[in-house]
Amino acid sequence: MTIKHSYRRFWRGIRAPSLARMSALCAALCAVLIIAGAGLARAEAPPDPAPPKPHSEYLGYNGLPGNYLAGRFAYRQRDVAAAAKFYGRVLAEDYENRKMVQRALVLTVQDGRISDAMPLASHLLELEPNSNIGQLILTIGAVADGRLDEALERVRKFERKGIYELTAPMMEAWVELGRGNVDAALAALEPLSAKQAFEMYHAYHGALMANISGRQDAVAENYRRALTAVPGGTLRVVVAYATSLRRDGRMEEATALFEGYREHNPDSPWLDPIMATINSDVRPELVVSTARQGMAETLFGAASALPNESAGDTGLIYAYLALHLRPDFPVVQLLVGEILEVLERHEDAIEAYSAISRDSPYSWSARLRAASGLASIERVDEAVSILSEMVDENPARSDAAIALADVLRRNERFDESVKYYDVAIGRTSGIEQRHWSLFYSRGVMLERTKRWPRAEADFLQALELQPDQPLVLNYLGYSWVEQGINLERAMSLIERAVALRPTDGYIVDSLGWAFYRLGDFKNAVKHLERAVELRADDPIITDHLGDIYWRVGRQNEARFQWERALVLGAEEDAAIVIRQKLKDGLSDSDSSGSEEESQ
């Protein structure tokens, strides 16, 4: 039994059980301060223009129109450094163009060059005195230089709408705290208390300020309010409060706080290293111990509150501004990497992850993410090297082994992949429902390496953990049909998978192909036609439809579908078989169809 050409189809619908989960976990960390339904507006970010064709304008044409078009094209290609360079050339010839100044300013910040952005921000304010983005950047510059009177003057000029409705009160509060005005700082936070969506920020930053200013009576109350404002609490608040408790010698309470968070977030990769850091013999520093760090915390909150998928460009501005104030800020470095990944700036994302110190409790996650990024841009050997080192480094953890197995799987190094799935499962204690994907993943690799008894056992284990998982139902049922065993149950499994995912063309194709293999051509035609409707771009499904058309005497339609399969990019081994079918058709004696012919 073989399912060679079905392998990629089965994997298109599943999240990799480690790297994708690590991506979700990193996104969860980066959104620890997220506001549900707050409806925050984006800051002034450059529009996403329709790109011109990449002719000479992207190759260094020096005229103003050429540089403008080159900047637009580079931005669309996510080459932010080049876009900033070209817009800079435009400004050299048209320095009074407000839109160009703003665009060059934003791109310079998104390239992480905050110092270079300061003159542009000053000039933008000359052209548009009410520009929030100009005021924001110069405010951060003033705080970085210790010019707090200027910072206060600037922050009070913000038009407090959209994201600035949240950030302006916090920035004003931290500037006032830096100027030694604790009461004024707490008063500046008060507008946040009027809006439920901002209550967590009000309480959290109030707790941080109370910690710094020695108002211990307000610390615990504010942290408790911050924890209850978001169901289940947020990791950032948990870390800050636990650190405060540990500094006061209240170890049991700090541990209980972490364990409570773990109950809601069992896969969090950060809890153990953070706890180890906090519980070390060295008394931990406060999460925020200065007004400057508090301002960076505010910017981190703003970046986290903006969804990466739709507002990543803007979130990147706040994140880079936070790093300008606090360069060693690993949670923001993680966020920068996450946003850059979403923006498909993979090399920059890897650089951001790699900049996180190995001493940081976030280093492990950063290395996992860096390896994922390397694999995504075909630097597979580097990814494997990083993950192999991590597997050996910490025998108590399974996540690096899962990540390595996933990378090897996606690169069709199946035997090696099985080895590391074995390691991962061996390190997983207390098998739970959520671990179904581990057994499914290993089962597919075992099937691909012709170790069916073990593969079948893994699929059955996955179904025991997750009885209605359509991917497992589909793969196991299809495999049984291919072998001609357990046919009644096999069809039941596939039909159940289709019922759970009726619009999944790959699974509908499995049902049609199963009917084909069983000789029920009438049902095979019905389901394979439906599969092609759902996935008209898939050469495998199209090839299947050609086969069944031939079997029911629709030879012209069969040849048309086989030709379409070639046009759609059938893989070379399948293409050889398809060309043979176009020449000779399917023989009457052949009952196995293209599934075996393509081997």
Side-chain angles (χ1 to χ4, degrees):
M1 184 283 302
T2 55
I3 315 178
K4 181 176 181 180
H5 77 280
S6 302
Y7 165 71
R8 289 181 184 82
R9 176 189 61 193
F10 281 124
W11 277 99
R12 285 171 185 162
I14 186 172
R15 296 175 183 171
S18 78
L19 290 184
R21 183 165 68 230
M22 295 313 303
S23 177
L25 289 169
C26 190
L29 170 65
C30 295
V32 292
L33 300 178
I34 196 164
I35 303 174
L40 300 178
R42 297 182 65 174
E44 296 126 311
D48 191 11
K53 296 298 181 181
H55 297 312
S56 62
E57 65 269 21
Y58 196 55
L59 301 177
Y61 177 69
N62 290 321
L64 188 149
N67 282 313
Y68 172 68
L69 292 174
R72 290 178 61 186
F73 181 74
Y75 178 74
R76 189 61 179 264
Q77 297 298 108
R78 297 302 186 186
D79 189 347
V80 172
K85 178 185 69 175
F86 286 118
Y87 282 123
R89 291 179 181 175
V90 172
L91 290 183
E93 300 183 53
D94 190 10
Y95 199 49
E96 301 307 308
N97 186 319
R98 181 192 62 79
K99 289 185 178 179
M100 288 298 99
V101 172
Q102 178 173 306
R103 184 168 301 196
L105 168 63
V106 170
L107 288 171
T108 300
V109 175
Q110 289 176 347
D111 196 33
R113 297 183 288 114
I114 308 304
S115 296
D116 292 343
M118 297 297 169
L120 289 169
S122 295
H123 186 52
L124 179 60
L125 286 174
E126 292 172 0
L127 300 173
E128 185 182 352
N130 294 326
S131 169
N132 274 347
I133 189 69
Q135 289 290 6
L136 172 65
I137 291 166
L138 290 182
T139 298
I140 300 309
V143 171
D145 294 340
R147 294 178 277 110
L148 298 184
D149 289 345
E150 177 190 334
L152 183 62
E153 181 181 349
R154 291 191 179 282
V155 80
R156 286 177 174 172
K157 293 180 180 179
F158 286 130
E159 184 180 6
R160 300 194 177 194
K161 296 193 304 185
I163 190 71
Y164 295 100
E165 185 182 5
L166 169 67
T167 56
M170 292 190 291
M171 287 193 286
E172 181 177 349
W174 283 109
V175 171
E176 288 283 25
L177 191 76
R179 297 172 74 238
N181 300 326
V182 179
D183 290 336
L186 296 175
L189 282 179
E190 278 309 302
L192 299 180
S193 66
K195 198 166 186 177
Q196 185 177 3
F198 296 163
E199 175 55 27
M200 189 271 288
Y201 292 88
H202 177 255
Y204 174 59
H205 283 263
L208 296 175
M209 291 179 183
N211 253 148
I212 292 172
S213 58
R215 300 191 177 188
Q216 296 304 116
D217 55 329
V219 172
E221 177 58 28
N222 276 317
Y223 274 129
R224 290 191 187 102
R225 285 174 43 229
L227 285 170
T228 57
V230 176
T234 66
L235 180 58
R236 192 64 178 166
V237 176
V238 167
V239 171
Y241 190 20
T243 301
S244 179
L245 291 169
R246 166 67 180 83
R247 284 172 59 83
D248 292 339
R250 298 157 66 180
M251 297 288 294
E252 291 184 4
E253 292 174 75
T255 300
L257 192 61
F258 275 119
E259 293 305 328
Y261 182 83
R262 191 195 299 275
E263 288 182 14
H264 298 282
N265 303 273
D267 286 327
S268 174
W270 303 288
L271 282 183
D272 288 336
I274 291 173
M275 286 179 67
T277 299
I278 291 176
N279 293 336
S280 68
D281 294 336
V282 179
R283 188 183 187 216
E285 296 290 331
L286 290 172
V287 166
V288 170
S289 57
T290 67
R292 177 169 172 157
Q293 291 179 359
M295 184 70 84
E297 193 78 17
T298 295
L299 295 165
F300 167 55
S304 301
L306 294 165
N308 291 348
E309 293 77 8
S310 59
D313 287 333
T314 307
L316 194 59
I317 291 172
Y318 289 100
Y320 272 134
L321 289 172
L323 289 178
H324 183 69
L325 292 175
R326 191 175 184 179
D328 184 16
F329 200 171
V331 70
V332 177
Q333 291 167 289
L334 275 175
L335 177 56
V336 166
E338 173 76 14
I339 296 172
L340 290 169
E341 279 191 76
V342 172
L343 297 177
E344 298 182 2
R345 293 172 56 184
H346 299 295
E347 298 278 0
D348 292 337
I350 293 165
E351 184 178 347
Y353 294 133
S354 300
I356 295 176
S357 169
R358 290 287 289 266
D359 296 331
S360 167
Y362 299 99
S363 170
W364 187 270
S365 297
R367 290 153 67 194
L368 285 176
R369 294 310 307 264
S372 173
L374 288 165
S376 73
I377 58 174
E378 307 301 325
R379 291 165 61 180
V380 176
D381 289 343
E382 293 173 73
V384 169
S385 176
I386 290 172
L387 293 170
S388 298
E389 178 187 350
M390 294 176 72
V391 169
D392 295 337
E393 179 182 325
N394 193 338
R397 297 189 67 136
S398 62
D399 49 4
I402 299 172
L404 180 51
D406 289 344
V407 168
L408 295 167
R409 166 178 58 77
R410 282 193 290 272
N411 287 275
E412 301 191 7
R413 293 163 62 173
F414 299 137
D415 278 312
E416 295 172 88
S417 183
V418 168
K419 171 186 173 182
Y420 286 102
Y421 281 129
D422 287 344
V423 171
I425 291 173
R427 293 180 179 182
T428 302
S429 60
I431 298 296
E432 300 175 12
Q433 185 180 51
R434 60 195 172 91
H435 294 123
W436 71 269
S437 60
L438 271 179
F439 291 94
Y440 173 62
S441 301
R442 186 175 67 176
V444 173
M445 295 298 93
L446 289 165
E447 185 277 323
R448 294 296 295 136
T449 53
K450 304 184 186 304
R451 287 176 275 182
W452 175 247
R454 283 190 65 196
E456 183 180 49
D458 273 355
F459 292 138
L460 291 170
Q461 176 68 45
L463 277 184
E464 184 177 333
L465 295 171
Q466 193 75 277
D468 282 334
Q469 217 313 310
L471 295 171
V472 186
L473 293 167
N474 183 39
Y475 207 111
L476 179 57
Y478 190 91
S479 301
W480 278 341
V481 168
E482 282 295 288
Q483 297 176 78
I485 61 175
N486 302 327
L487 295 182
E488 184 175 347
R489 188 181 177 192
M491 290 301 294
S492 175
L493 294 184
I494 298 172
E495 287 170 341
R496 178 61 179 155
V498 171
L500 290 166
R501 285 195 180 177
T503 61
D504 187 320
Y506 301 120
I507 293 180
V508 174
D509 172 65
S510 290
L511 181 58
W513 194 245
F515 278 121
Y516 175 88
R517 295 302 299 262
L518 296 173
D520 186 345
F521 295 161
K522 179 180 179 180
N523 275 314
V525 168
K526 179 177 71 173
H527 290 292
L528 288 172
E529 287 180 338
R530 170 65 174 154
V532 167
E533 288 178 8
L534 294 168
R535 295 295 315 195
D537 59 343
D538 188 87
I540 295 173
I541 298 174
T542 302
D543 181 27
H544 284 175
L545 183 59
D547 286 7
I548 190 59
Y549 277 164
W550 184 276
R551 291 300 181 204
V552 297
R554 297 162 63 176
Q555 280 85 359
N556 288 337
E557 292 171 271
R559 294 183 190 280
F560 175 75
Q561 296 300 333
W562 289 333
E563 287 173 350
R564 281 190 67 243
L566 293 175
V567 170
L568 290 171
E571 294 187 6
E572 187 54 36
D573 56 352
I576 293 171
V577 176
I578 292 171
R579 293 187 189 100
Q580 188 66 40
K581 289 188 291 188
L582 282 167
K583 178 182 177 183
D584 300 327
L586 291 175
S587 67
D588 293 338
S589 61
D590 180 15
S591 61
S592 62
S594 62
E595 187 74 34
E596 290 182 356
E597 290 170 5
S598 65
Q599 305 311 309

